[in-house]
Amino acid sequence: MNQQLAEREDLLFTLDDGIGRIVFNRPQARNAFTFEMYERLAEICDRANTDRAIKVLVLRGAGDKAFAAGTDINQFRAFETPQDGIEYERRIDRVLTTLEQCRVPTIAAITGACTGGGAAIAATCDLRIGTANTRIGFPIARTLGNCLSMSSISRLTALIGPARVKDLIFTARLVGAEEAASVGLLTEVVDDLAALDKRADEVARLVASHAPLTLSATKHAVARLQKRLTKDEGEDLILMCYMSRDFREGLDAFLTKRAPQWRGE
């Protein structure tokens, strides 16, 4: 199969009656993101900025096991230099900022696991609808020992507050649907996958029927209220994590399915 075709099949896009539907299509990998999928997501958001036929975007993971389980771990295996970590986090910052600043409203339809980069994508969306089995979190403190991008930290703190951000990352736990709704990680919860598809479609059609300039102005006004860490404020933290022995240990432990032995160096 042609590589470009395979990459695009990993992230599908359809447009019907003003509703753009994005499907993360790697159910065999719990919809973990490749670098190409991140770029495809940004490309679709850029298209929505100019294509007036697109009124709203709905993001969903294929299957019933996961929305998205973060970045595919294999993407990190080639990391060798300080620049690798910096470039990776710059990519995540750029893609998530493109998603956040997209002209049209974005809705994350979440079932199953929504972790790491997947949770960052969901947190960037304007609305998040989950199911009873939704689990959201950033378990990096027990998996790879890396850190979130600076825009993700800024955005997540604005969404749920600094104490809850620390709680989620320090404990590395996944938050259930009820708690996620109570703290703002979910805007609404439905029973199951069938109800999720129906409700996401209902909300998308409702939002698509409203005044686009009002929606866009509201999105941008809220974003302007949120402080963002700058590149200079965050690069030292990225290098501390991605160039550490602990990151290499976490990566090897994850791939060999063993518990990591953290050393703090």
Side-chain angles (χ1 to χ4, degrees):
M1 179 181 295
N2 179 277
Q3 183 179 4
Q4 184 177 7
L5 179 60
E7 289 168 357
R8 287 182 174 260
E9 288 181 347
D10 285 344
L11 196 151
L12 307 176
F13 176 71
T14 59
L15 177 61
D16 178 43
D17 198 23
I19 302 174
R21 293 181 173 84
I22 299 172
V23 177
F24 313 142
N25 192 36
R26 300 185 72 216
Q28 75 284 359
R30 299 174 75 82
N31 300 317
F33 263 61
T34 63
F35 290 162
E36 291 78 15
M37 290 171 68
Y38 280 115
E39 296 303 329
R40 176 67 171 144
L41 176 59
E43 178 185 307
I44 294 168
C45 291
D46 282 336
R47 173 181 166 181
N49 288 335
T50 58
D51 186 348
R52 297 293 165 170
I54 302 175
K55 305 297 185 183
V56 61
L57 291 176
V58 178
L59 286 66
R60 187 190 183 292
D64 60 357
K65 303 299 183 185
F67 175 74
T71 302
D72 190 314
I73 301 302
N74 289 307
Q75 304 291 292
F76 295 122
R77 300 182 77 170
F79 279 28
E80 294 181 353
T81 70
Q83 196 61 27
D84 290 330
I86 295 296
E87 288 300 324
Y88 169 72
E89 290 300 344
R90 282 179 180 170
R91 180 197 300 264
I92 300 302
D93 280 347
R94 173 174 52 78
V95 171
L96 292 181
T97 298
T98 301
L99 174 62
E100 179 182 45
Q101 295 179 353
C102 183
R103 177 184 62 84
V104 304
T106 54
I107 301 170
I110 306 166
T111 191
C114 179
T115 58
I121 289 171
T124 304
C125 289
D126 299 309
L127 302 173
R128 291 164 298 282
I129 305 171
T131 61
N133 75 335
T134 294
R135 299 292 181 271
I136 303 177
F138 301 86
I140 52 178
R142 64 174 167 80
T143 54
L144 296 185
N146 59 330
C147 62
L148 297 184
S149 74
M150 297 305 102
S151 66
S152 290
I153 286 287
S154 300
R155 192 176 294 107
L156 195 60
T157 299
L159 183 64
I160 64 175
R164 288 195 174 99
V165 171
K166 292 176 184 178
D167 174 48
L168 281 181
I169 296 179
F170 287 10
T171 63
R173 66 193 180 92
L174 301 187
V175 175
E178 183 177 344
E179 182 180 358
S182 72
V183 302
L185 285 172
L186 291 176
T187 49
E188 139 175 34
V189 179
V190 297
D191 290 336
D192 53 27
L193 185 59
L196 177 65
D197 288 338
K198 179 181 178 182
R199 183 57 180 157
D201 187 71
E202 289 174 347
V203 174
R205 292 185 184 282
L206 175 65
V207 171
S209 73
H210 290 159
L213 294 182
T214 299
L215 305 181
S216 181
T218 301
K219 285 187 57 154
H220 285 88
V222 171
R224 290 178 187 182
L225 289 172
Q226 300 175 4
K227 181 185 183 298
R228 291 286 184 267
L229 293 175
T230 67
K231 176 173 67 69
D232 292 337
E233 289 175 303
E235 283 192 355
D236 61 321
L237 304 178
I238 293 169
L239 290 173
M240 179 179 70
C241 291
Y242 282 96
M243 290 296 101
S244 68
R245 292 183 179 179
D246 273 358
F247 179 67
R248 289 294 170 188
E249 165 65 10
L251 182 60
D252 184 72
F254 188 94
L255 293 172
T256 57
K257 302 185 185 305
R258 62 176 176 82
Q261 301 298 313
W262 306 119
R263 299 177 62 179
E265 58 185 41

